[in-house]
Amino acid sequence: MNQSIRRLSVFVMALFVVLLLNVTWIQGFQAEELRESPHNTRRYLDRLREPRGPIVIGESRVAFSTPFEDGNTVQYQREYPEGTLYAHVVGTFRTTGESGIEASENKLLNGTDDRLAVRNFIDILTGEPRTGATVEMTIDPRVQRAARDGLAQLGRNGAAVALDPSSGAVLAAYSVPVFDPAEVTSVTEAEAAAARWEELSEADSQPLLNRAFNETYPPGSVFKVVTAAAALEDGATPESTQPAPAVLDLPQGGTLPNAFSGPCNGGSPDTLAHSIEISCNTSMANWALTLGEDRMREQAEAFGFGREDLEIPSPVAESVYPAGMGGSSLAQTGIGQFDVRATPLQMAMVAAGVANDGDVMKPYLVDRATDADLETIVQTTPRKYSDAVSSQTAEQLTRMMVAVTEGAEGSGRSGAIPGIEVAGKTGTAENAGPTHNWFISFAPADDPEIAVAVVVENGGGSGGTLAAPIAKSMMEAVLTG
Amino acid sequence: MTLFAIALTLGAMIEVSLTRNGEMPPGLFFYGGLFGGLALLAHVFIRFFAPWSDPLLLPLAVLLNGLGIAMLWRLFEATGDTDKGSASNQLVLTAISMAVFAGVVFFLRDPRKLQRYPYIMAVGAIVLLLLPLLPDPIGRTVNGARQWLNVGFTALQPSEFAKIALIIFLAGYMVAKRDALSLVNRQFKVGPVKVLGLPRLRDTAPMAFMWGFCIIVLVGLMNDLGTALLLFGTFLAMVYVATQRASWLVLGLVPFFAACYLLYFVVSHFAVRVDTWLHPFAPGNIDGPIGANSEQLVRGLFAMAQGGVLGTGLGGGQPGFVPEVQNDFIFSAFGEELGLTGVMTMLLVLALLVERGLRTALASQELFVKMCASGLAFLLGFQTFVVIGGVTRVIPLTGATIPFVAKGGSALLSSWIILALLVRMSNNARKPAPQAIQDEGATQVISR
């Protein structure tokens, strides 16, 4: 009988070993995942009890935590003094979740990031409470306000993005409609805040959506810059021509007219430069047909289309150049129609790539992070994202785009700034409903400091009249103070 | 050892109080005095009445019981959340349990006596198990399981005592029928190859009866999955110890799993437990209707994750997030506040306790005592596995209590009775053989 008792005892010990291994798995290896689980409400409550680092834009703190007494424990309320201005890009820290930079830089802000480990260790030794890092963003308040004021004046939905072409720093990212973070982040009235968030997330106008990064639109004529880039890289010159009739008969049937119901060069073939200046549809469609789908897509991807990996660190929606098309569709993609989709950020990257001698820099929102002693713990180094075009092509594209704002027949003259050369491109994209109106630009053309993309959703006008003035005021915010 | 266990308990209470309220616990003198005094008394008592008993059994139990009280005190008194229970209640129950413990150790000088009444034990066990089926207000359903008995001032779980009675019955029955069970053999052959040797149908009757009883009555009528699983597991373990034959295990486990499979479709209570075990985070489970969701399980896991390796420190966590944390899920509270290290220690203490029990079985001479001790020790171990395995998602949650630790009068009392039996048995097993006294030139006298 002793034999079987021994075996039984081995079995019981095996049961205990299973338990030991399992608790080790849960508490040692799975703990992190469980703590971050979306179902885990305690993580928010825990975080409400810890001072969270502020988010800084320009000289001011646009998000910070203020302590208040709740019973005998201290809790922290997240405050957003600028209200709607930075709502999308900064994000919100709520009792039921977080978004924007509050989400993507959460670990730095709450102090659990590995890069703060040494700092935290010192705090433990000196008995200081753990504090989160200060996150400094790249946003320029002047440009951001210009974007807000411009879009507010129009009273339409849309988005505006500005980049520093030489570094990729995001200078502005504004999206309409907006919401007030204060309505959804109250800790004392957590239930009302959660209900408000729920209401916003279900609204048809999608006020929570950051259109600048996470919505794609047909780019329309602003995409002609990409088509022209492909042509130049393929060996064409600004003087190379394509037939530019008033209406182009598409290879598989159907027609493609010019926006201004007439031929582009009095019926003769039109030069590439002139086609960009006046935004000629038929010649650019012919360019797309001449270049072929593969060349077109290669060029689009060189600017960042078709790449899902972009995190800045907020996630960005993928922009798409379609594949497997027939000739008619291919011709339409030459003017940014058919299934071409781009985020405003993507089109800003196109402008910035041209501005930066053909190199697209990786966009980024966080300049640096500092700990409680103002020691820098994270500093973003600008990195090249892709080689879009050669510097010669970039120069040629720049000259063509300057003609858009300054040329006698330029389609985007309202984007011009007196005394400063502005390179731009208008776009009026067909879609269900009134047209979307685009403008992309950078300035000064010879030494660009800012690249911009503006889209007005269903504006129904033209890119030159609706979007260009907003882009202009954003550029002016940097260039003329 | 006992002193060390008491000191740990008091230390735990002091830490809770300092962390939560920043002062020494107000009831420290009361709790410390009472619990420490009781434990010391039990220790002294054993010194006198069971001096040869295994010296680890009592301190291990005191440690577990003390940690349980400290945690309950932390959950209720230190937080002011006293409507779900109180630590002083647990302390009183501990006192009663220790008194019963002393009584059993004192009066049951020879555990072999129990062997005389196997059928009384069996009938008693069945009556105890069925008692909660009496109509309200005597029988009571709590959290979906009808396993409670109202006895005026408090509620009892008679199944806790039925377990002990059943083990005694099984030990007696099997010792009597051991030869028949292990030797009589019917061979099943495929060609010349022996596949399985099975006992006669006549001898499998108690097995079939137990199996049917556990499954149908406990699960079907009372929704008491934990007790059913415990009894059946213990039963199989004891049959194996008695017969040393794996065929019995096959004979028991195959229909067991088959029955589980069937139950999944028949008993909704059981199906819910399995579903929430397999997919605790699935949308229909985590936010399902009250009583049929995985919220408790998931929150328990979150609590343990919060604790991580080192824990938040006693009093530093928020175990109140887990519903009914004072019962089965007290383990998650330990996981949160003491971390992986603390939980591992607790598991090791429990493992050690079980192992000392099995050692007692090994050391004993009489077959009945061997059977009884191994059954009781296995019950403690298997019960730990069922509860903690349920809480940590090794097996579906069934509902039982961690021996000595969790809140609950009947469970605590039955744990102490088991301990008393083990202490008595180990004392008798380890008692040195009667010495032959040889005095110079005197006649040899054998004394006992």
Side-chain angles (χ1 to χ4, degrees):
Chain A
M1 197 178 274
N2 281 358
Q3 175 79 14
S4 48
I5 294 178
R6 285 207 180 87
R7 286 204 190 127
L8 185 67
S9 129
V10 169
F11 174 69
V12 176
M13 286 309 111
L15 292 183
F16 275 99
V17 169
V18 168
L19 291 180
L20 284 170
L21 288 177
N22 193 50
V23 291
T24 308
W25 168 247
I26 291 175
Q27 299 198 266
F29 296 95
Q30 210 188 2
E32 179 79 25
E33 188 192 323
L34 285 172
R35 280 195 290 261
E36 301 293 328
S37 164
H39 299 295
N40 195 347
T41 46
R42 72 163 61 214
R43 67 185 183 134
Y44 305 116
L45 291 159
D46 265 6
R47 286 177 194 174
L48 295 181
R49 298 153 122 225
E50 284 175 3
R52 188 175 167 84
I55 298 176
V56 171
I57 287 179
E59 298 295 308
S60 46
R61 302 190 303 167
V62 299
F64 55 88
S65 296
T66 48
F68 68 93
E69 292 273 327
D70 177 49
N72 54 359
T73 59
V74 176
Q75 291 205 334
Y76 291 88
Q77 170 70 55
R78 201 67 169 158
E79 313 258 6
Y80 300 91
E82 296 282 357
T84 59
L85 181 58
Y86 302 109
H88 287 113
V89 63
V90 166
T92 52
F93 181 77
R94 289 162 288 121
T95 51
T96 52
E98 59 266 308
S99 62
I101 287 295
E102 293 271 32
S104 47
E105 296 295 344
N106 186 32
K107 286 187 162 189
L108 278 173
L109 290 165
N110 72 15
T112 56
D113 193 281
D114 290 342
R115 288 169 288 192
L116 285 162
V118 177
R119 168 83 219 169
N120 289 338
F121 183 67
I122 294 170
D123 283 346
I124 289 172
L125 291 184
T126 55
E128 300 267 329
R130 181 170 81 190
T131 49
T134 301
V135 171
E136 295 179 14
M137 294 186 67
T138 56
I139 303 288
D140 183 328
R142 298 168 302 176
V143 187
Q144 184 82 359
R145 277 189 219 111
R148 172 190 63 185
D149 296 345
L151 283 165
Q153 215 166 10
L154 275 183
R156 300 199 187 267
N157 294 351
V161 179
L163 297 173
D164 179 338
S166 60
S167 67
V170 178
L171 300 177
Y174 191 74
S175 172
V176 182
V178 286
F179 63 97
D180 188 348
E183 291 178 1
V184 294
T185 53
S186 173
V187 175
T188 46
E189 285 160 41
E191 277 182 30
R196 176 69 180 141
W197 180 264
E198 193 68 24
E199 188 186 320
L200 289 171
S201 62
E202 282 165 10
D204 289 336
S205 60
Q206 293 186 280
L208 297 180
L209 175 69
N210 183 359
R211 288 164 163 77
F213 299 155
N214 298 316
E215 177 69 304
T216 60
Y217 301 91
S221 297
V222 289
F223 191 76
K224 286 173 185 165
V225 174
V226 178
T227 309
L232 293 169
E233 290 283 288
D234 194 52
T237 67
E239 274 61 53
S240 303
T241 59
Q242 285 284 352
V247 176
L248 180 67
D249 290 319
L250 294 174
Q252 291 155 318
T255 55
L256 189 154
N258 276 327
F260 38 80
S261 55
C264 301
N265 192 21
S268 313
D270 194 23
T271 63
L272 189 54
H274 189 254
S275 296
I276 291 292
E277 178 183 341
I278 65 168
S279 200
C280 177
N281 283 349
T282 50
S283 61
M284 294 312 291
N286 274 326
W287 276 112
L289 289 170
T290 309
L291 292 163
E293 182 188 316
D294 290 345
R295 286 253 160 92
M296 286 293 290
R297 188 170 50 253
E298 266 170 45
Q299 188 59 60
E301 286 176 0
F303 277 110
F305 281 79
R307 286 174 61 166
E308 306 166 34
D309 57 345
L310 192 56
E311 291 191 345
I312 64 170
S314 305
V316 174
E318 181 190 355
S319 298
V320 182
Y321 183 83
M325 300 171 288
S328 296
S329 308
L330 175 61
Q332 288 180 323
T333 64
I335 60 167
Q337 295 286 172
F338 186 54
D339 284 344
V340 183
R341 310 276 308 178
T343 58
L345 175 69
Q346 175 59 59
M347 291 324 295
M349 287 162 70
V350 169
V354 175
N356 194 38
D357 289 334
D359 292 341
V360 180
M361 302 301 287
K362 184 176 188 294
Y364 63 94
L365 280 163
V366 173
D367 181 32
R368 62 180 193 139
T370 54
D371 68 12
D373 293 338
L374 302 180
E375 291 281 339
T376 301
I377 44 174
V378 178
Q379 172 77 57
T380 307
T381 333
R383 281 196 296 125
K384 188 153 84 175
Y385 186 64
S386 65
D387 278 318
V389 290
S390 70
S391 57
Q392 191 201 349
T393 302
E395 177 58 27
Q396 289 167 336
L397 286 171
T398 304
R399 297 316 338 152
M400 293 182 202
M401 288 171 71
V402 169
V404 170
T405 62
E406 297 193 346
E409 300 171 76
S411 58
R413 293 173 65 87
S414 49
I417 302 170
I420 295 170
E421 261 193 336
V422 175
K425 182 69 196 84
T426 56
T428 305
E430 307 266 343
N431 66 97
T435 53
H436 295 324
N437 305 121
W438 281 88
F439 195 73
I440 64 171
S441 63
F442 58 89
D446 53 349
D447 182 20
E449 290 177 34
I450 178 171
V452 178
V454 175
V455 63
V456 178
E457 234 173 71
N458 300 123
S462 75
T465 52
L466 294 182
I470 301 171
K472 177 187 171 186
S473 66
M474 288 167 72
M475 291 185 289
E476 279 178 327
V478 170
L479 302 176
T480 61
Chain B
M1 293 294 282
T2 309
L3 281 175
F4 176 69
I6 296 167
L8 264 181
T9 303
L10 298 184
M13 288 177 67
I14 292 171
E15 193 192 332
V16 168
S17 195
L18 288 178
T19 313
R20 294 215 54 95
N21 308 329
E23 59 189 13
M24 289 296 278
L28 183 65
F29 188 72
F30 170 67
Y31 280 91
L34 200 52
F35 181 75
L38 281 170
L40 279 179
L41 230 100
H43 183 78
V44 172
F45 179 82
I46 280 189
R47 278 255 163 256
F48 273 99
F49 294 100
W52 291 286
S53 68
D54 192 314
L56 267 181
L57 283 173
L58 180 71
L60 291 174
V62 166
L63 179 57
L64 289 169
N65 199 155
L67 282 177
I69 289 183
M71 181 51 88
L72 290 171
W73 187 81
R74 176 255 177 280
L75 288 175
F76 301 133
E77 253 80 348
T79 52
D81 181 13
T82 47
D83 19 316
K84 284 183 184 162
S86 72
S88 55
N89 207 343
Q90 182 83 349
L91 193 63
V92 171
L93 288 168
T94 304
I96 296 174
S97 302
M98 283 183 176
V100 173
F101 163 82
V104 172
V105 172
F106 184 78
F107 288 109
L108 188 72
R109 282 307 169 86
D110 190 351
R112 277 179 303 179
K113 280 186 206 156
L114 292 171
Q115 194 180 357
R116 292 178 202 159
Y117 322 106
Y119 293 100
I120 294 179
M121 285 290 173
V123 171
I126 290 169
V127 168
L128 282 172
L129 276 176
L130 292 177
L131 271 178
L133 285 178
L134 288 173
D136 287 310
I138 304 171
R140 272 174 57 192
T141 304
V142 175
N143 296 334
R146 193 170 185 95
Q147 47 177 293
W148 294 87
L149 192 65
N150 217 346
V151 285
F153 64 99
T154 181
L156 283 177
Q157 241 178 318
S159 63
E160 292 286 350
F161 309 107
K163 283 188 268 190
I164 301 174
L166 269 175
I167 287 173
I168 295 171
F169 153 69
L170 285 174
Y173 179 83
M174 282 179 201
V175 166
K177 298 280 165 97
R178 180 164 174 258
D179 293 341
L181 289 174
S182 59
L183 298 179
V184 180
N185 205 342
R186 217 195 256 180
Q187 307 258 317
F188 284 80
K189 289 182 180 173
V190 178
V193 186
K194 179 187 155 196
V195 177
L196 203 59
L198 289 178
R200 287 183 306 190
L201 190 65
R202 180 151 59 96
D203 299 317
T204 61
M207 162 88 87
F209 178 75
M210 275 297 293
W211 178 77
F213 185 80
C214 288
I215 302 296
I216 295 167
V217 175
L218 285 173
V219 178
L221 296 179
M222 297 156 81
N223 272 341
D224 192 353
L225 300 170
T227 309
L229 183 60
L230 274 180
L231 286 183
F232 195 70
T234 309
F235 175 61
L236 275 187
M238 291 182 69
V239 171
Y240 178 73
V241 167
T243 62
Q244 308 205 19
R245 284 172 54 174
S247 58
W248 275 103
L249 298 183
V250 177
L251 198 64
L253 287 177
V254 170
F256 176 74
F257 284 112
C260 285
Y261 186 76
L262 275 179
L263 277 175
Y264 180 81
F265 298 102
V266 178
V267 181
S268 63
H269 189 64
F270 183 65
V272 163
R273 293 290 170 94
V274 173
D275 284 343
T276 53
W277 169 56
L278 291 174
H279 313 287
F281 295 98
N285 288 338
I286 195 159
D287 49 13
I290 291 170
N293 58 31
S294 56
E295 195 184 349
Q296 191 186 25
L297 182 63
V298 166
R299 287 192 178 196
L301 290 176
F302 286 155
M304 294 184 64
Q306 195 68 32
V309 175
L310 293 175
T312 58
L314 267 178
Q318 291 158 306
F321 264 113
V322 184
E324 295 286 308
V325 69
Q326 70 276 12
N327 299 324
D328 316 2
F329 276 78
I330 200 165
F331 186 77
S332 72
F334 280 104
E336 180 176 359
E337 303 213 320
L338 295 180
L340 178 59
T341 36
V343 162
M344 284 187 130
T345 312
M346 175 173 272
L347 280 173
L348 290 175
V349 168
L350 283 159
L352 203 53
L353 186 63
V354 174
E355 205 65 344
R356 300 311 287 201
L358 287 169
R359 188 164 286 275
T360 299
L362 280 177
S364 297
Q365 298 300 318
E366 297 89 3
L367 289 182
F368 169 75
V369 176
K370 276 176 121 61
M371 289 290 303
C372 203
S374 49
L376 293 170
F378 181 82
L379 178 69
L380 285 181
F382 194 55
Q383 186 168 336
T384 306
F385 178 76
V386 167
V387 188
I388 299 179
V391 171
T392 60
R393 258 190 93 208
V394 176
I395 58 168
L397 197 59
T398 52
T401 47
I402 308 176
F404 297 104
V405 179
K407 174 177 165 287
S410 341
L412 193 64
L413 181 52
S414 72
S415 297
W416 277 100
I417 293 177
I418 291 175
L419 190 80
L421 292 172
L422 289 177
V423 162
R424 174 48 71 196
M425 287 171 182
S426 78
N427 179 65
N428 292 10
R430 291 157 54 101
K431 186 193 270 180
Q435 288 278 326
I437 302 166
Q438 274 189 319
D439 280 339
E440 195 88 17
T443 322
Q444 194 170 317
V445 177
I446 294 175
S447 72
R448 201 167 215 273

